Amino acid sequence: MSRKEQKLRTRHTIIDAAFSLLCDERSLSSISLREVAREAGIAPTSFYRHFKDLDDLGLTLVDEAGLALRQLMRQARLRIASGGDVIRVSVETFMEFVAANSNVFRLLLRERSGTSTAFREAVSREIQHFIAELSDYVGRHTRLPVELANLQAEAMVRIVFSAGAEAIEMPAEYQKQLAERLIIQLRFIAIGAAAKSSR
């Protein structure tokens, strides 16, 4: 393995270690550099070869969380292309992500309204990326005007994130009930956008 590959691997190990330390009781601000280094199996001084400080690591975590979610939803759209119901597949994929990556999603939720301006702005950027991708998809598949596609996408993303915040603390059976309600609510939004466009 080359030195560059080793450095990249160590960087990812640090990122994974930080995510593993996040939980219901712990946020980014409560995690120390020493804890991250210990969890990653590196010396604390080695941390600085990969990140300037914990804030730099935190911003990277937000980027990684947003990217992971967007990549998953892109995969969902591929499943839809092979014959799945758009809203149902999207909701089920999102809920699977929340259940399997609760620490990752919890980070986005917490830092969205956290005390750090830089983290809040980073989460806001990730959500805007998410809205932009969905808006583009909606526009291409429904032929809605750009403005309406944007409004529909924004409404859908906001309601989905809100449902994710509820789901993260729920037992699996209640998550399924929440997902079914969410599917109906998203269909209401889609129907409303189509009706507005036809006026």
Side-chain angles (χ1 to χ4, degrees):
M1 184 184 298
S2 70
R3 191 168 181 175
K4 185 177 179 181
E5 288 172 332
Q6 181 61 50
K7 186 172 182 179
L8 192 61
R9 177 177 284 190
T10 303
R11 179 181 171 86
H12 280 295
T13 301
I14 294 169
I15 290 169
D16 290 342
F19 271 130
S20 73
L21 291 169
L22 297 174
C23 63
D24 189 27
E25 294 81 24
R26 305 203 65 190
S27 62
L28 273 178
S29 60
S30 68
I31 293 172
S32 72
L33 188 153
R34 286 187 174 280
E35 283 180 294
V36 174
R38 185 170 59 244
E39 187 72 17
I42 62 169
T45 51
S46 298
F47 177 92
Y48 294 105
R49 293 184 199 141
H50 306 276
F51 299 97
K52 287 186 295 183
D53 50 29
L54 277 176
D55 281 351
D56 185 29
L57 172 61
L59 290 172
T60 301
L61 293 180
V62 170
D63 289 345
E64 291 282 327
L67 180 61
L69 183 52
R70 290 203 310 279
Q71 285 176 336
L72 195 74
M73 297 315 291
R74 285 173 197 153
Q75 290 169 12
R77 287 194 277 275
L78 291 177
R79 285 164 60 192
I80 291 162
S82 64
D85 175 270
V86 175
I87 289 176
R88 178 168 293 280
V89 170
S90 298
V91 168
E92 287 174 353
T93 302
F94 179 79
M95 288 300 191
E96 286 164 13
F97 176 86
V98 171
N101 304 275
S102 58
N103 286 0
V104 176
F105 189 68
R106 195 176 272 118
L107 170 76
L108 290 173
L109 287 177
R110 280 202 178 123
E111 301 311 324
R112 187 180 182 187
S113 58
T115 56
S116 166
T117 302
F119 289 167
R120 286 199 309 272
E121 289 175 350
V123 173
S124 180
R125 278 194 303 274
E126 291 304 320
I127 291 173
Q128 286 307 313
H129 289 320
F130 202 69
I131 290 171
E133 283 195 17
L134 181 57
S135 175
D136 180 62
Y137 180 85
V138 167
R140 280 187 287 111
H141 288 82
T142 64
R143 302 190 189 282
L144 284 176
V146 172
E147 185 181 353
L148 273 180
N150 286 339
L151 285 171
Q152 179 177 330
E154 183 180 358
M156 285 180 154
V157 169
R158 294 196 185 285
I159 199 169
V160 163
F161 265 73
S162 177
E166 287 184 62
I168 209 166
E169 308 300 341
M170 284 180 173
E173 62 269 24
Y174 291 114
Q175 286 181 2
K176 288 179 182 176
Q177 293 173 18
L178 177 62
E180 290 302 320
R181 290 204 315 274
L182 182 58
I183 287 165
I184 294 168
Q185 290 164 345
L186 293 178
R187 285 180 176 149
F188 286 163
I189 293 170
I191 291 166
K196 174 71 175 172
S197 177
S198 64
R199 284 184 179 178

